[in-house]
Structures are given as structure tokens and as C-alpha cells.
């Protein structure tokens, strides 16, 4: 179903994206490492899931959002190791891999194999300290061996990979270097929403000494254009067996600006309400989306060094009609707060670009064009400024 709000897994549920799916498949076949990037909710996870949903591959997904915490500048090593083991465990169960990998991991942890297979969190958590960087690499080597023995390709997916930068005490360049050098049946896919930060993470891997010269292929997932968005909504509503008048479609296109995640959420919610005889009101549905962004943005802004300044920068862009140059923004910021120097505004604008809350085109900075992201961001800023004044 097109309007299923979870990330898609099956080709039939994914609208379009033929080109991206082909590119990913081809790269995996050639063992070229990949980074799939694009803004939040554009469909990165879905495109990757669908592309690698193939019996020729053994897939291990490390979903770094599971350790994501906006309040933390750094994550302890143990959070990553725990996620790592859990992800490997899921793959072992899914593909019934067992054998050497399980033996290796339970040996390192000093627990019995059954406890690992059943993923006994209490026992495992107590032993995480025993797991060293080399052991992470060894697990991947074992999985690579198993894959090549089975004539399969091992695909490692690091979803929202920018979070790796925040893990303390693990030498990722050397971890990935080891995979690159020794795991000949393996390929790695990184995805990331905060484009600027993902780029920094990758550059770190590509240029840090042991990884020098290795190139990771980038694939950008773009928003839907207007024609695609319309077709997506019509096909989706058709699948749901729901008639929607043109005015509603037109409104949705205007408000959601081709963000697949919002179109999907809107379609799902609208259909549900119609089917259950409830009032299907686009304003109400949009308000839910705005609320989601508002929380995300508030979490992010509150944990920066100067929440008021970040908020003032965002409000200034809003007051300027949604976009402005550094000069214009600085002027407006200084009418809201006192004495914020231009270099500081510059720094904040670029940080907001890095985490994909705003965009930069030429010398202009832009708030998102879709309403949930724009309004959510602005409301979060107002919340924060009203709290301090
Ligand atoms: N091409 C697509 N066809 C159908 N649904 C999509 C498509 N792209 C994204 N979606 C939907 O949009 C939402 C966000 O997708 P997701 O893959 O989680 O995005 P991302 O990983 O970029 O944040 C999910 O509900 C997903 O089902
Ligand atoms: Mg995702």
C-alpha cells in the first residue's frame, strides 16, 4: 500500500524511484560503497530497503536512530555495541545464520549461546565492556565469510550514519578500513538526513589516514515534483478505494511540497478518517504533522549552545518572507535580540543548513517550503523565545 506510513520494504509499495533502486542495486553488485542522502522523510530508508530486499543478499541493518538522543553530545561506546549486537542478532535470526558468528560473540561476551540467540538483554548488558573494537571487525569478517560461503553478498546498512560521529571511543575509520580490506563479499550503505553532517562523517572516512583515497558513491533522493505528488496521491487514494475531490488534492500539493513522508501521512490519515466516518479535515491532519516537527525542532534547538539565538535566526527568516541573505537575517535578529554579531549568525545559519532544518541556495538561506516543516520550525522557535522573555 502506498499509504503505509512505515518505511517501505516491497517494490510494489514504493512509488517510482526506479532510477535510485537500480543505482543502489548496481553499486551493491559491484561492491561499491554508497551514501544515500536527502532531507527527512524523503524516502531514503524506503529506497534502500526496497533495493536490497533480494534473496541474493544478507542484510544487516544498523538503525542508528535507536541510539539517537538530542540531549546527548556523545553516546557511550556501550550504546553502539549494544545496537551492533542486536542488529547482528536480528540478521542471524532472519537468515538462520547461527554457527560461528554466534559462537564467536558468545565467547567474547562470556555468555552461553542461547542467551545471545534469545538476546537476553540483562546478561548481555553486563558483559558489553568485554567487546573491543577488534571484535566488531571480527564479527563482520565472520558474517562476510558466511555470506561468501553461501554465495551471497553481505550488505551493511548504517541508517542515519551521522550519529556515528557522536559515538565515543570507537575508531570507525579503522573499523571501516578493515571491512574494506578484508571483507570481499561485503558492501556498505550509509544514509543520512542531516546532509551536511553526513558529508562530514563520510569525508572523515574517506580522508582520514587509513581510509585515504577510497571513494563512497553518493545518491541523492529528491522530493517528488508536483506531477509525481499528484499521481502518488491519486494512486494511493485509489488503492484505498476512496474518492477525494480535486480541491483537497490541490491543497495537499500546496502544503506538503512533494515530501513523500507528508504525502503518505496525509493520505493515510485522510483515508482512515473517511473510512471510519470521521471528519477528514486537511487542517487537522496538517496540524499533527506540524506538531511532530515542532517537537523535533524544539529538541534540537534547546540542546544547542544558544537556543534563543537559533530561534531568533529562524524567526528572522520567517519575517523576511521565508528567505534572506546573511546581512538581512543579521539585521532582523538584532531587532529581536541585542548584539548578535554577524559571524555568529553566519555560524548558526550554517549549522541549521548542516542539520537540514533550512537550505542554502547561492547566498540566500531558505526555510523549508512545505508547511509542516516550516511552521513546525517557526513554532518551536516561538516556544523557546517566549520561555526566556
Ligand atoms: N517512493 C515512495 N513511495 C511510497 N511511500 C514512500 C516513498 N518514499 C517515502 N515514502 C513514505 O514516506 C515516509 C518516509 O519515508 P522514509 O523512507 O522513512 O524516509 P527517510 O528515511 O528519508 O526519512 C514513510 O511513511 C514511507 O513509507
Ligand atoms: Mg530513514
Amino acid at each position: 500500500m502506498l499509504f503505509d506510513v512505515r518505511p517501505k520494504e516491497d517494490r510494489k509499495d514504493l512509488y517510482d524511484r526506479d532510477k535510485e533502486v537500480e543505482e543502489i542495486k548496481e553499486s551493491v553488485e559491484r561492491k561499491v560503497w554508497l551514501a544515500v542522502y536527502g532531507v527527512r522523510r524523503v524516502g531514503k530508508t524506503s529506497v534502500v530497503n526496497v533495493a536490497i530486499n533480494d534473496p541474493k543478499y544478507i542484510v544487516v541493518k544498523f538503525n542508528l536512530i535507536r541510539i539517537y538522543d538530542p540531549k546527548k553530545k556523545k553516546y557511550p561506546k556501550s550504546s553502539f555495541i549494544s545496537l551492533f549486537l542486536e542488529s547482528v542478532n536480528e540478521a542471524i535470526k532472519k537468515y538462520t545464520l547461527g554457527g560461528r558468528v554466534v559462537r564467536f560473540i558468545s565467547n567474547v561476551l562470556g555468555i552461553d549461546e542461547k542467551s545471545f540467540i534469545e538476546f537476553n538483554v540483562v546478561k548481555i548488558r553486563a558483559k558489553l565492556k568485554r567487546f573491543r573494537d577488534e571484535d566488531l571487525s571480527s564479527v563482520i569478517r565472520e558474517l562476510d565469510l558466511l555470506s561468501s560461503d553461501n554465495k551471497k553478498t553481505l550488505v551493511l546498512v548504517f541508517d542515519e550514519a551521522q550519529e556515528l560521529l557522536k559515538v565515543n571511543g570507537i575508531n570507525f575509520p579503522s573499523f571501516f578500513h578493515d571491512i574494506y580490506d578484508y571483507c570481499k563479499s561485503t558492501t556498505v550503505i550509509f544514509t543520512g538526513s542531516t546532509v551536511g553532517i553526513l558529508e562530514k562523517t563520510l569525508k572523515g572516512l574517506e580522508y582520514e589516514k587509513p581510509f585515504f583515497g577510497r571513494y563512497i558513491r553518493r545518491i541523492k533522493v529528491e522530493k517528488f515534483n508536483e506531477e509525481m505528488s499528484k499521481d502518488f496521491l491519486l494512486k494511493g487514494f485509489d488503492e484505498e478505494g476512496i474518492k477525494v475531490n480535486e480541491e483537497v488534492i490541490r491543497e495537499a500539493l500546496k502544503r506538503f511540497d512533494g515530501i513523500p513522508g507528508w504525502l503518505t501521512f496525509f493520505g493515510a490519515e485522510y483515508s482512515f478518517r473517511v473510512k471510519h466516518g470521521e471528519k477528514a479535515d486537511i487542517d487537522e491532519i496538517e496540524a499533527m504533522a506540524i506538531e511532530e516537527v515542532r517537537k523535533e525542532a524544539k529538541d534540537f534547538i534547546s540542546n544547542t549552545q544558544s537556543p534563543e539565538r537559533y530561534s531568533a535566526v529562524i524567526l528572522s527568516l520567517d519575517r523576511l518572507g521565508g528567505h534572506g541573505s546573511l546581512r538581512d537575517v543579521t539585521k532582523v535578529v538584532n531587532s529581536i535580540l541585542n548584539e548578535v554579531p554577524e559571524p555568529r549568525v553566519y555560524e548558526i545559519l550554517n549549522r541549521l543548513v548542516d542539520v537540514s532544518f533550512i537550505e542554502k541556495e547561492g547566498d540566500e538561506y531558505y526555510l523549508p517550503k512545505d508547511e509542516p516543516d516550516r511552521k513546525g520550525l517557526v513554532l518551536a522557535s516561538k516556544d523557546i523565545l517566549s520561555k526566556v522573555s
Side-chain angles (χ1 to χ4, degrees):
M1 295 297 252
L2 290 174
F3 290 165
D4 185 343
V5 293
R6 285 164 302 187
K8 305 297 194 282
E9 300 276 345
D10 288 319
R11 190 69 195 93
K12 64 173 180 11
D13 297 324
L14 188 75
Y15 179 80
D16 194 72
R17 306 298 193 202
D18 293 334
K19 186 168 153 279
E20 290 83 352
V21 168
E22 272 323 299
E23 278 179 15
I24 296 171
K25 280 182 176 293
E26 196 198 301
S27 304
V28 172
E29 293 300 326
R30 291 167 187 259
K31 313 283 188 314
V32 173
W33 289 26
L34 269 180
V36 176
Y37 66 97
V39 294
R40 293 179 191 78
R41 304 183 182 84
V42 80
K44 299 171 296 294
T45 305
S46 298
V47 166
V48 170
N49 282 349
V50 168
I52 60 181
N53 186 356
D54 188 316
K56 286 186 297 199
Y57 310 144
I58 290 177
V59 177
V60 188
K61 286 183 199 164
F62 303 97
N63 182 3
L64 288 146
I65 280 308
R66 291 201 211 150
I67 58 173
Y68 175 72
D69 180 349
K71 290 184 198 63
K72 291 194 179 138
K73 292 247 172 327
K74 287 282 176 190
Y75 308 130
K77 184 172 175 168
S78 58
S79 322
F80 177 77
I81 293 185
S82 164
L83 172 75
F84 178 89
L85 291 175
E86 201 176 334
S87 311
V88 170
N89 180 277
E90 278 161 16
I92 285 172
K93 280 187 189 136
K94 178 166 176 203
Y95 301 98
T96 53
L97 295 175
R100 289 178 43 163
V101 193
V102 174
R103 215 167 308 138
F104 178 83
I105 296 175
S106 13
N107 261 337
V108 174
L109 293 175
I111 61 177
D112 53 305
E113 292 182 21
K114 191 159 159 273
S115 299
F116 177 68
I117 292 171
E118 289 169 358
F119 214 75
N120 182 326
V121 181
V122 178
K123 280 195 185 167
I124 291 172
R125 206 171 276 159
K127 300 292 181 67
L128 284 178
K129 286 236 154 50
R130 301 170 63 131
F131 224 84
R132 300 156 309 163
D133 285 21
E134 307 88 275
D135 298 322
L136 294 171
S137 304
S138 304
V139 170
I140 302 297
R141 287 200 203 188
E142 290 289 347
L143 288 168
D144 179 75
L145 253 166
L146 267 173
S147 305
S148 72
D149 285 351
N150 289 295
K151 307 219 165 10
K152 295 194 179 196
T153 299
L154 178 65
V155 184
L156 306 176
V157 182
F158 291 85
D159 203 4
E160 299 296 341
Q162 71 277 345
E163 299 309 309
L164 293 175
L165 267 189
K166 292 177 25 190
V167 177
N168 246 337
I170 293 178
N171 185 343
F172 284 108
S174 105
F175 169 68
F176 287 114
H177 178 244
D178 192 274
I179 298 175
Y180 198 94
D181 275 354
Y182 297 104
C183 301
K184 299 299 179 199
S185 301
T186 300
T187 194
V188 174
I189 303 179
F190 301 97
T191 81
S193 293
T194 55
V195 176
I197 303 197
L198 175 65
E199 215 27 66
K200 280 175 195 154
T201 315
L202 298 178
K203 284 260 164 351
L205 291 180
E206 284 171 325
Y207 298 123
E208 210 149 304
K209 219 166 147 215
F211 220 68
F212 185 76
R214 266 103 206 224
Y215 182 69
I216 299 168
R217 184 181 288 165
R218 271 71 159 169
I219 293 182
K220 185 170 180 204
V221 184
E222 302 275 4
K223 293 191 282 196
F224 290 166
N225 64 29
E226 190 165 330
E227 195 186 321
M228 290 162 78
S229 303
K230 184 171 179 187
D231 189 46
F232 175 76
L233 287 177
L234 293 177
K235 289 209 164 93
F237 281 122
D238 198 49
E239 261 184 3
E240 303 284 340
I242 280 173
K243 285 232 171 341
V244 178
N245 71 39
E246 262 191 46
E247 183 52 28
V248 173
I249 302 282
R250 210 175 313 132
E251 269 301 307
L253 295 181
K254 205 171 83 199
R255 296 178 188 211
F256 301 125
D257 191 47
I259 307 270
W262 294 138
L263 295 168
T264 305
F265 174 72
F266 164 70
E269 197 56 34
Y270 197 94
S271 306
F272 180 87
R273 293 179 181 212
V274 171
K275 281 181 199 166
H276 294 83
E278 289 170 30
K279 192 178 86 189
D281 178 57
I282 188 166
D283 286 326
E284 264 180 37
I285 299 172
E286 189 191 318
M288 294 163 76
I290 293 174
E291 210 42 48
E292 204 174 308
V293 177
R294 183 187 196 162
K295 280 203 205 86
E296 275 170 23
K298 235 166 123 171
D299 269 345
F300 171 77
I301 300 170
S302 322
N303 290 291
T304 60
Q305 277 175 350
S306 40
E308 304 88 70
R309 288 180 171 190
Y310 273 79
S311 304
V313 165
I314 290 162
L315 285 186
S316 302
L317 281 170
D318 189 44
R319 288 193 191 166
L320 288 163
H323 62 99
S325 63
L326 170 62
R327 203 110 153 274
D328 297 337
V329 175
T330 308
K331 256 190 229 148
V332 185
V333 166
N334 280 285
S335 71
I336 302 174
L337 300 175
N338 289 328
E339 294 182 36
V340 188
E342 190 173 281
R344 188 63 189 123
V345 174
Y346 179 74
E347 217 178 284
I348 292 172
L349 282 167
N350 285 310
R351 174 83 185 147
L352 287 167
V353 171
D354 270 352
V355 293
S356 304
F357 275 123
I358 67 171
E359 279 180 276
K360 187 177 186 186
E361 280 167 41
D363 285 334
E364 290 277 299
Y365 295 87
Y366 287 82
L367 288 179
K369 294 183 182 65
D370 66 285
E371 291 192 357
D373 283 299
R374 194 180 66 247
K375 292 184 174 170
L377 195 57
V378 170
L379 282 173
S381 305
K382 287 186 177 157
D383 291 343
I384 287 170
L385 281 179
S386 70
K387 222 170 26 194
V388 291
S389 60

